[in-house]
Amino acid sequence: MACSNITQGYSKSCDNIASGIKNLWIGNYSTSTVWNHIANDVVSGATGAPTFYQVELREGTCSYTEEIVANAQFGIKNIRMNFELVIIGQSQSGRTFVNDLLGASVVLGVETEQGPFILAGETKGLEVVAGRSTAGIQAGEENTIRVTISGLANEFAPTVNATYAATLFT
């Protein structure tokens, strides 16, 4: 099928369209961090912001979802955030990194492929809930580390002002 058949009405050709997570930064979650929000729930600054570390991801293989989780009986509503990451290369340092994250509360800075920066886990923190390492031994097997980071929040993840994101996620 020709690319033009599936991209009719779109300004970019199909080989230029990507979705999901473009870049990701991980920082330690702290209840003492105060995030400054401006109109439309955009983060514009923070007091006591953590140091963020960029994670090298395999392009086009990472995603996140946010879903409403409600219990009408108890009047509870939360947003479940779930991040599926594929980290490039399988190494001892990569496995140690994932192991060190287990049980830790983290906050994520996310640059999406088609949209803004978001800040996930700033109100309650997120946790690494699963990790798997593949060595690329068998034909077709990846040489990667797959990580699932998950958590609950009271609201959807806020966006981050682009100017502040350039300072925070460096």
Side-chain angles (χ1 to χ4, degrees):
M1 176 183 288
C3 184
S4 60
N5 291 342
I6 60 174
T7 60
Q8 187 174 8
Y10 292 94
S11 62
K12 291 186 176 183
S13 67
C14 63
D15 58 347
N16 287 328
I17 297 172
S19 61
I21 297 172
K22 182 176 181 180
N23 289 301
L24 181 107
W25 295 265
I26 296 180
N28 287 324
Y29 169 75
S30 173
T31 56
S32 63
T33 301
V34 177
W35 298 99
N36 303 326
H37 294 257
I38 57 176
N40 299 321
D41 204 29
V42 175
V43 175
S44 63
T47 303
T51 299
F52 283 88
Y53 300 94
Q54 187 167 10
V55 177
E56 189 175 0
L57 303 171
R58 185 171 299 273
E59 186 176 352
T61 61
C62 304
S63 65
Y64 79 95
T65 58
E66 294 177 298
E67 64 179 316
I68 296 174
V69 180
N71 182 326
Q73 179 180 359
F74 297 107
I76 299 170
K77 179 200 83 165
N78 283 296
I79 307 298
R80 179 180 296 132
M81 298 178 186
N82 196 52
F83 293 82
E84 299 289 334
L85 313 174
V86 178
I87 300 172
I88 294 175
Q90 193 262 38
S91 64
Q92 184 58 45
S93 62
R95 291 191 310 270
T96 300
F97 170 73
V98 172
N99 188 55
D100 289 347
L101 286 177
L102 289 171
S105 288
V106 297
V107 60
L108 301 179
V110 180
E111 180 182 13
T112 62
E113 286 285 358
Q114 299 296 321
F117 290 89
I118 63 167
L119 186 65
E122 92 284 6
T123 58
K124 295 183 180 183
L126 302 169
E127 292 183 10
V128 173
V129 295
R132 188 184 96 198
S133 176
T134 57
I137 295 170
Q138 297 177 8
E141 187 177 59
E142 296 178 322
N143 184 18
T144 60
I145 298 172
R146 293 181 176 272
V147 179
T148 303
I149 300 174
S150 208
L152 294 175
N154 295 330
E155 301 291 336
F156 289 106
T159 58
V160 180
N161 173 288
T163 304
Y164 183 57
T167 303
L168 187 62
F169 306 132
T170 56

